[in-house]
Amino acid sequence: MHTSELAARAESQAQIVDVEKVGATAQSDTFPAGFSPYTNWQKFSAAPELVLHTVQQLSPSLQQLYVHVLKQTGPLPFHEEMIELWQYADAAAAEVIAALPVWYKEGLLAVFRKAWGERLYVVPVDVYVKMLQHDLASLSIDSADELPIDTFAHSESGQGVINDLFRLLVFTANEGLPVTAKGTLHKRTIQRLESQLQMSTEALSACRVSYAFADTVSPKLAVSLDLAMRLGLIRKDTQSFSIQIEPLYEWLQMPYSKWNEAIWLLVGQHYTAANVHAKHLFYAISAAARPGEWIQAESIVQQMQESGWLRFDAEQSLIETMKAWLQALYTFGWCELRTVSDESLWYKWLLSSENDADEQVEDGDGFFVQPDFEIIVPPDCSMLIRWRLEQIAEHISSSGMHMYRLTRDSFQAAIDAGQTRKQQQEFLERYALTGVPENIIDAWERWNEQYGRAWFSEVVLLRCEDESAAHLIQQECEQGRLTGKLSKIGPDAFVVARDQVEQIRMVMEQIGLPLLKNWRNDDYDEPASTEQHGAEDELLKGSSTESVRAAKHFQNSSTMNGIVYSPSSLQYYEMDMAYCRDESWLSSYIGLPLMWTKEVRTYHASTMKEIVETAIRLKLALQMKENGQLLRVVPIRLNGQSNMDFALEVYMNEDSRAVRKTLMPNQWEGVRLLVPEWL
């Protein structure tokens, strides 16, 4: 989970705790040491560079342990029983467990609790990525500014996932997405939708998404629908998928970089397998990238193996997984791919990071209107402008440039949707970078004369019981408070503008002729009010307030459900808001003799064995002296029963490599327990 989402969930849960707590104390009593965890997470969301600073402020031992945990679990949740399986010479389980509260307090860890009380720990994904990026920057990954001329180039990357998502939203807004009684889309709708989507179904195989009706719905359509739902743009009920107007216009005002960031997080959380090596490979693609440079995929795998991020026993499988993910991210529009003569695969990452903030540019704010009625829209044109353009022009294609055409049918469709000729012309004149050709304005005038000069208007009929009531109303219309608000169409009936109904109701009460509370025509289908029709136009204006709301929506987007079965389970668990150091666990160290932990020294054989057994029980490391040298070992088990006739299996470092060895008591010249220094 991203730190922004963790902060939002923690803050929301803290408010629930405060409300439900009878005689609630100050918020500082809710959290250990008087701090709010969502504050610590939010600082990373606002300033990612603080991640490295925070880690570097830890002691060297805590830093080393933290990187060890990252390599073992990545951004996947873990529990304390798993920590013992990760032990090696420099990381005893007790040291990692003792470090958890420290990392939590610093915002480097989040804690969740299952229904039966078991705790789950997770490293926030943006913290994990920042640490991975820092480590990969120190590795010798092959890169190049330019590739040799024998390079095989894949077809040029388009806008991929964002363009497909946009086309899905346009289709849903214009035509709707009804579902069958079984809950899936109609076959004809699926065919029409999939013909408009550009992503490659074959390239999406790396995602391995699982969803209902996979035999009828392609992965590219399933991914587009799922992302739209998780971003809050589309909601599914028993009858159809429907557009969510307010979130849609919030997102349309966001730059492409924010769309890509949100989708990238969703892909990493919901489309990658719940496997630490799969997570490392996925996130390494962006973490290893350097602005404007080509990166060799195979060298990433090899360097990560040598630095302990990936296992050594499946190099070819890891490389194939890396290549499959690059194909998927290529079809998303996030990278360019090249293959050189030695068959190695190179990529150039296209998404910007916070490090490139100074180089980022705002989305384009215009298009080109041609005399032949075609409109050429650059790929960086803002989503909001493109959405408005969809309402008045026909979409032709989106290969590189987005192509539209103004036609009589599109003009009439816009008129029917409430866009007057004047509004259409004002929109084009505002965003046409080289102006609107005169022949198009002339065509609009001709089309306007042929269509839309007369129309039906929805009004309300006001009826009277008798002529005396009608006469009283007529007097008010001629010289009173109803002047210009009613039109008489018969001896006892008046026509009322729909947006004036409530005002007229109040006037009628004041003149002593109150109206019935309920309308007489119970089957009357009340259309939307003028205020409701105008709401969409208000949303189009955009403001800083809308951007703030959209950012808040982005923080919580991954908590929304989609149609793809997600391997992530954290969305179903509550955060542990009262997590702190487990004092009962710490009590295990209170009774330890001081001499056992103070220095390396020799003991009687029985005492030596007792110390070793204590280290195994408490999952502590030992410091031993062998041939005059001090060694650090993590004991695993004792083999043998007598005080001197036993063998000890340990993890230790030998020739700069972690090994598992068996040691005999007669090899030791002294021993001591290594209690974590930060306790």
Side-chain angles (χ1 to χ4, degrees):
M1 285 190 169
H2 196 278
T3 50
S4 57
E5 183 186 347
L6 288 168
R9 288 184 63 175
E11 185 172 7
S12 174
Q13 192 168 331
Q15 291 171 353
I16 295 173
V17 170
D18 289 342
V19 169
E20 293 181 348
K21 191 174 181 182
V22 179
T25 58
Q27 182 170 296
S28 61
D29 294 333
T30 306
F31 305 101
F35 73 98
S36 301
Y38 56 82
T39 302
N40 291 352
W41 291 318
Q42 196 61 51
K43 70 180 180 184
F44 295 143
S45 181
E49 66 276 5
L50 290 179
V51 171
L52 292 178
H53 175 76
T54 301
V55 173
Q56 289 166 356
Q57 294 302 307
L58 300 173
S59 68
S61 298
L62 282 171
Q63 291 184 46
Q64 185 180 34
L65 286 175
Y66 190 64
V67 173
H68 171 66
V69 169
L70 291 180
K71 292 179 179 180
Q72 297 300 320
T73 189
L76 290 172
F78 63 94
H79 49 78
E80 292 182 10
E81 287 75 11
M82 297 169 64
I83 294 175
E84 188 172 358
L85 302 176
W86 302 342
Q87 288 192 125
Y88 81 118
D90 294 325
E95 293 172 322
V96 176
I97 294 173
L100 297 177
V102 180
W103 297 334
Y104 174 79
K105 186 174 181 178
E106 295 296 335
L108 300 172
L109 197 70
V111 185
F112 293 80
R113 185 180 290 274
K114 291 185 176 181
W116 51 90
E118 181 185 6
R119 285 195 180 107
L120 284 176
Y121 305 87
V122 66
V123 176
V125 65
D126 48 336
V127 174
Y128 157 76
V129 170
K130 195 67 179 177
M131 293 297 298
L132 177 62
Q133 186 179 41
H134 175 72
D135 198 68
L136 293 182
S138 64
L139 303 181
S140 301
I141 296 174
D142 293 343
S143 63
D145 294 330
E146 297 292 339
L147 293 178
I149 58 175
D150 61 350
T151 297
F152 169 74
H154 287 245
S155 58
E156 184 178 351
S157 176
Q159 282 188 297
V161 64
I162 295 182
N163 188 69
D164 282 8
L165 190 54
F166 185 81
R167 299 260 42 98
L168 170 68
L169 295 171
V170 170
F171 188 99
T172 307
N174 291 341
E175 304 186 37
L177 285 181
V179 298
T180 66
K182 294 182 179 180
T184 188
L185 295 172
H186 293 274
K187 184 176 181 180
R188 178 174 173 78
T189 300
I190 293 174
Q191 293 173 341
R192 294 180 59 206
L193 253 178
E194 292 186 347
S195 67
Q196 298 184 30
L197 304 182
Q198 295 181 335
M199 288 191 295
S200 165
T201 290
E202 292 75 16
L204 290 174
S205 61
C207 298
R208 296 183 180 178
V209 290
S210 178
Y211 52 93
F213 307 108
D215 56 334
T216 58
V217 178
S218 69
K220 64 180 180 181
L221 178 53
V223 165
S224 299
L225 271 173
D226 185 72
L227 291 174
M229 295 176 71
R230 294 188 186 279
L231 292 173
L233 302 170
I234 287 180
R235 181 175 60 87
K236 183 183 180 184
D237 54 33
T238 56
Q239 297 182 331
S240 66
F241 291 90
S242 57
I243 288 286
Q244 301 300 287
I245 295 296
E246 186 171 348
L248 171 64
Y249 279 97
E250 290 173 358
W251 272 104
L252 288 176
Q253 294 174 73
M254 302 298 285
Y256 285 105
S257 59
K258 185 63 70 174
W259 284 78
N260 279 320
E261 181 183 357
I263 295 172
W264 179 78
L265 286 170
L266 292 174
V267 171
Q269 181 174 353
H270 300 291
Y271 299 165
T272 55
N275 173 280
V276 63
H277 294 99
K279 296 290 185 183
H280 287 334
L281 287 171
F282 173 80
Y283 288 108
I285 292 174
S286 62
R290 299 161 192 170
E293 291 191 17
W294 291 95
I295 306 296
Q296 189 190 52
E298 293 86 348
S299 69
I300 294 179
V301 174
Q302 293 165 0
Q303 290 296 314
M304 291 183 72
Q305 285 178 313
E306 293 182 7
S307 59
W309 288 92
L310 297 173
R311 62 181 185 270
F312 269 100
D313 58 346
E315 179 175 351
Q316 191 57 40
S317 174
L318 293 171
I319 290 176
E320 292 304 317
T321 300
M322 171 71 85
K323 290 182 176 180
W325 263 116
L326 282 170
Q327 293 290 344
L329 300 181
Y330 168 79
T331 200
F332 282 160
W334 293 347
C335 65
E336 295 180 25
L337 295 181
R338 299 288 187 272
T339 304
V340 298
S341 56
D342 62 359
E343 300 301 320
S344 61
L345 183 65
W346 296 69
Y347 74 94
K348 181 188 291 185
W349 192 242
L350 301 179
L351 300 189
S352 58
S353 65
E354 71 276 358
N355 296 330
D356 310 319
D358 295 337
E359 301 177 7
Q360 293 182 22
V361 295
E362 295 184 358
D363 293 345
D365 59 355
F367 42 74
F368 302 92
V369 182
Q370 305 291 92
D372 61 358
F373 292 82
E374 287 195 350
I375 300 177
I376 303 174
V377 184
D380 65 343
C381 184
S382 78
M383 298 279 275
L384 185 59
I385 294 175
R386 286 179 58 193
W387 186 265
R388 289 290 305 272
L389 192 58
E390 291 279 347
Q391 300 172 11
I392 67 172
E394 292 181 0
H395 177 258
I396 302 174
S397 66
S398 288
S399 179
M401 295 287 188
H402 304 290
M403 303 298 296
Y404 291 84
R405 180 181 289 114
L406 295 166
T407 66
R408 180 181 306 199
D409 289 342
S410 68
F411 173 81
Q412 294 180 358
I415 293 290
D416 290 337
Q419 295 279 336
T420 66
R421 183 197 65 80
K422 182 179 179 181
Q423 289 173 326
Q424 295 182 56
Q425 182 174 338
E426 288 177 347
F427 169 72
L428 281 193
E429 289 176 341
R430 179 178 179 183
Y431 295 108
L433 298 175
T434 55
V436 181
E438 288 294 329
N439 65 309
I440 292 179
I441 297 177
D442 294 340
W444 270 339
E445 292 178 353
R446 292 196 307 271
W447 295 342
N448 192 57
E449 291 177 357
Q450 300 165 3
Y451 189 80
R453 298 175 63 189
W455 61 89
F456 287 105
S457 178
E458 292 183 325
V459 293
V460 177
L461 189 64
L462 175 62
R463 291 192 179 277
C464 300
E465 178 82 7
D466 49 49
E467 290 188 8
S468 62
H471 180 69
L472 180 59
I473 295 174
Q474 182 64 29
Q475 286 181 324
E476 289 294 326
C477 289
E478 294 173 354
Q479 54 189 8
R481 284 163 286 188
L482 294 177
T483 303
K485 299 183 183 296
L486 298 175
S487 299
K488 192 173 184 181
I489 61 172
D492 60 354
F494 298 82
V495 171
V496 181
R498 181 164 280 281
D499 61 342
Q500 298 289 323
V501 168
E502 293 305 319
Q503 296 180 28
I504 292 174
R505 184 184 293 276
M506 290 188 293
V507 173
M508 296 292 282
E509 291 180 358
Q510 294 170 4
I511 66 175
L513 198 65
L515 300 175
L516 293 176
K517 292 182 178 180
N518 296 323
W519 293 25
R520 281 284 177 87
N521 295 337
D522 295 335
D523 60 344
Y524 188 86
D525 186 13
E526 182 177 1
S529 66
T530 303
E531 289 84 355
Q532 290 171 313
H533 284 303
E536 185 172 308
D537 291 334
E538 288 298 318
L539 285 166
L540 284 172
K541 294 178 181 178
S543 65
S544 59
T545 302
E546 294 290 1
S547 297
V548 171
R549 293 168 64 190
K552 182 179 179 181
H553 185 79
F554 160 68
Q555 292 172 3
N556 296 285
S557 62
S558 63
T559 63
M560 298 183 180
N561 293 326
I563 64 170
V564 171
Y565 304 138
S566 172
S568 174
S569 60
L570 287 180
Q571 55 192 315
Y572 305 114
Y573 300 134
E574 288 189 358
M575 299 181 70
D576 191 340
M577 302 297 292
Y579 174 73
C580 61
R581 188 179 309 211
D582 190 341
E583 298 297 336
S584 63
W585 178 76
L586 290 175
S587 64
S588 302
Y589 300 111
I590 296 176
L592 292 178
L594 181 61
M595 66 177 64
W596 288 11
T597 62
K598 186 176 181 180
E599 61 182 355
V600 176
R601 52 172 295 176
T602 58
Y603 297 92
H604 184 272
S606 60
T607 304
M608 186 86 75
K609 184 178 180 183
E610 184 180 359
I611 292 174
V612 171
E613 290 173 336
T614 300
I616 295 174
R617 176 171 55 85
L618 297 181
K619 302 179 178 63
L620 289 170
L622 290 170
Q623 190 175 46
M624 294 180 172
K625 182 180 288 187
E626 184 182 43
N627 297 327
Q629 292 185 336
L630 293 177
L631 304 176
R632 174 192 163 95
V633 301
V634 173
I636 304 171
R637 67 171 61 89
L638 277 174
N639 298 318
Q641 298 299 322
S642 66
N643 291 336
M644 294 300 294
D645 186 19
F646 68 86
L648 176 62
E649 289 185 49
V650 300
Y651 294 111
M652 61 182 294
N653 289 323
E654 191 172 81
D655 298 328
S656 300
R657 294 182 63 87
V659 296
R660 182 168 177 165
K661 292 189 66 174
T662 299
L663 301 178
M664 305 303 295
N666 56 15
Q667 296 177 259
W668 312 337
E669 300 168 17
V671 67
R672 79 173 176 117
L673 288 173
L674 293 177
V675 176
E677 61 190 48
W678 50 89
L679 291 179

